[in-house]
Amino acid sequence: MKRQSALAMWLSQPALLMLAIPFITLIGLTHWRHFQLAWGDSHAIVTSLGLGAVSLLLVIVSGLPLAWWLSQAHGKACLIAETLVLIPLLTPPLAMGILLVSAWGPYSPAGSLLARVGIALVNNPAAFVLAQWYGALPYFVMAARSAFAGVPVTILEAGQTLGASPWQRFWRLALPLAAPGLATAVALAWVRAIGEFGIVMIFAYFPQGMPVKLYNNLQNDGVDAVYILLWLLLLFTLPLPLGCLALTRRYARHKHAIH
């Protein structure tokens, strides 16, 4: 067993090295003595983090029931729903941005109805949140669905036998047992929302978040102008995924100790 583990570790080195090289390069190329933000970077950080948190909340609230239903349902309706979740995953982000403009822009039927009540969904905070929501929701649903699918059916059936309502089985049984996988789903959704570029670029260019600001800094001032904001993007984006990873590993160790 130890030999297999050691062999796997050595065989994994090329992949790890390939993943590490860009960030090792980033450390070497950053001008640490001139570590300062460019004009507008602080506003981009606030925009990404603030509106990203709103988007993440919407993703969880809307995606959790769908993921749970997909993990339990069967038949044609479930297949259609799964297809509707997969299509945005397969659609390039730039194309998805164009589709959002076509669906929610001021000249679309939905956009015209919203305009009558004074709501616009182009180049404003609401459009920014909607773009991140569309970008992150399918990833969350697929990951959360897998987490719920891993909950033993026997436990849910035992809860039903003991008289637990569907809500109680979901809240007291399925949710705690699926927690590590759901943590991964939340982390994935957060990273997708904060890092979304293509959809935001087309549908909500203003207000500018960190990805779009990185692109503008690169276009206007060259590659040296993006390193500081790139560091801050990593700094503010990584804590939540790392925390979710720690939760998952802790749960795995606890489960292993029980067995």
Side-chain angles (χ1 to χ4, degrees), residues 89-148:
L89 281 174
L90 301 174
T91 305
L94 287 174
M96 196 68 209
I98 294 171
L99 292 177
L100 288 190
V101 171
S102 302
W104 297 103
Y107 303 109
S108 68
S112 299
L113 290 175
L114 291 173
R116 293 179 182 178
V117 295
I119 300 175
L121 285 177
V122 175
N123 290 329
N124 56 26
F128 190 95
V129 168
L130 187 62
Q132 290 186 320
W133 192 358
Y134 267 95
L137 181 60
Y139 291 88
F140 175 83
V141 170
M142 296 305 293
R145 177 190 179 279
S146 297
F148 283 131

Side-chain angles (χ1 to χ4, degrees), residues 65-80:
L66 176 56
W68 169 247
W69 177 69
L70 288 176
S71 71
Q72 302 299 307
H74 302 281
K76 187 176 295 185
C78 181
L79 179 61
I80 293 173

Side-chain angles (χ1 to χ4, degrees), residues 32-118:
W32 299 102
R33 293 183 179 180
H34 305 286
F35 199 94
Q36 59 183 5
L37 294 174
W39 183 86
D41 283 357
S42 58
H43 184 266
I45 294 170
V46 172
T47 297
S48 282
L49 295 180
L51 297 182
V54 175
S55 303
L56 181 63
L57 179 61
L58 291 173
V59 165
I60 295 173
V61 170
S62 62
L64 206 58
L66 176 56
W68 169 247
W69 177 69
L70 288 176
S71 71
Q72 302 299 307
H74 302 281
K76 187 176 295 185
C78 181
L79 179 61
I80 293 173
E82 286 182 335
T83 303
L84 290 175
V85 174
L86 283 173
I87 288 175
L89 281 174
L90 301 174
T91 305
L94 287 174
M96 196 68 209
I98 294 171
L99 292 177
L100 288 190
V101 171
S102 302
W104 297 103
Y107 303 109
S108 68
S112 299
L113 290 175
L114 291 173
R116 293 179 182 178
V117 295

Side-chain angles (χ1 to χ4, degrees), residues 2-256:
K2 290 183 178 179
R3 288 183 177 181
Q4 292 177 350
S5 178
L7 179 61
M9 182 188 71
W10 283 107
L11 291 177
S12 68
Q13 298 307 305
L16 291 174
L17 180 61
M18 183 184 70
L19 294 172
I21 284 176
F23 300 97
I24 295 173
T25 304
L26 175 63
I27 294 173
L29 293 178
T30 302
H31 300 296
W32 299 102
R33 293 183 179 180
H34 305 286
F35 199 94
Q36 59 183 5
L37 294 174
W39 183 86
D41 283 357
S42 58
H43 184 266
I45 294 170
V46 172
T47 297
S48 282
L49 295 180
L51 297 182
V54 175
S55 303
L56 181 63
L57 179 61
L58 291 173
V59 165
I60 295 173
V61 170
S62 62
L64 206 58
L66 176 56
W68 169 247
W69 177 69
L70 288 176
S71 71
Q72 302 299 307
H74 302 281
K76 187 176 295 185
C78 181
L79 179 61
I80 293 173
E82 286 182 335
T83 303
L84 290 175
V85 174
L86 283 173
I87 288 175
L89 281 174
L90 301 174
T91 305
L94 287 174
M96 196 68 209
I98 294 171
L99 292 177
L100 288 190
V101 171
S102 302
W104 297 103
Y107 303 109
S108 68
S112 299
L113 290 175
L114 291 173
R116 293 179 182 178
V117 295
I119 300 175
L121 285 177
V122 175
N123 290 329
N124 56 26
F128 190 95
V129 168
L130 187 62
Q132 290 186 320
W133 192 358
Y134 267 95
L137 181 60
Y139 291 88
F140 175 83
V141 170
M142 296 305 293
R145 177 190 179 279
S146 297
F148 283 131
V151 175
V153 177
T154 53
I155 294 180
L156 298 178
E157 291 176 346
Q160 183 177 10
T161 302
L162 293 173
S165 66
W167 171 251
Q168 289 174 326
R169 294 198 300 272
F170 170 75
W171 186 255
R172 297 183 180 181
L173 297 177
L175 207 59
L177 291 172
L182 294 177
T184 301
V186 170
L188 185 60
W190 173 250
V191 171
R192 287 299 308 162
I194 292 294
E196 183 56 55
F197 173 76
I199 302 177
V200 173
M201 184 76 172
I202 300 297
F203 187 60
Y205 187 78
F206 295 104
Q208 291 181 358
M210 285 187 277
V212 173
K213 192 64 171 65
L214 279 170
Y215 176 78
N216 287 337
N217 289 353
L218 179 64
Q219 293 294 104
N220 296 331
D221 303 312
V223 69
D224 289 340
V226 306
Y227 293 137
I228 305 305
L229 186 57
L230 181 54
W231 273 110
L232 294 175
L233 175 62
L234 295 174
L235 176 66
F236 290 121
T237 305
L238 280 175
L240 179 60
L242 290 177
C244 292
L245 177 62
L247 174 65
T248 302
R249 292 176 67 88
R250 180 180 179 183
Y251 179 86
R253 287 195 300 268
H254 179 69
K255 186 176 180 180
H256 179 74

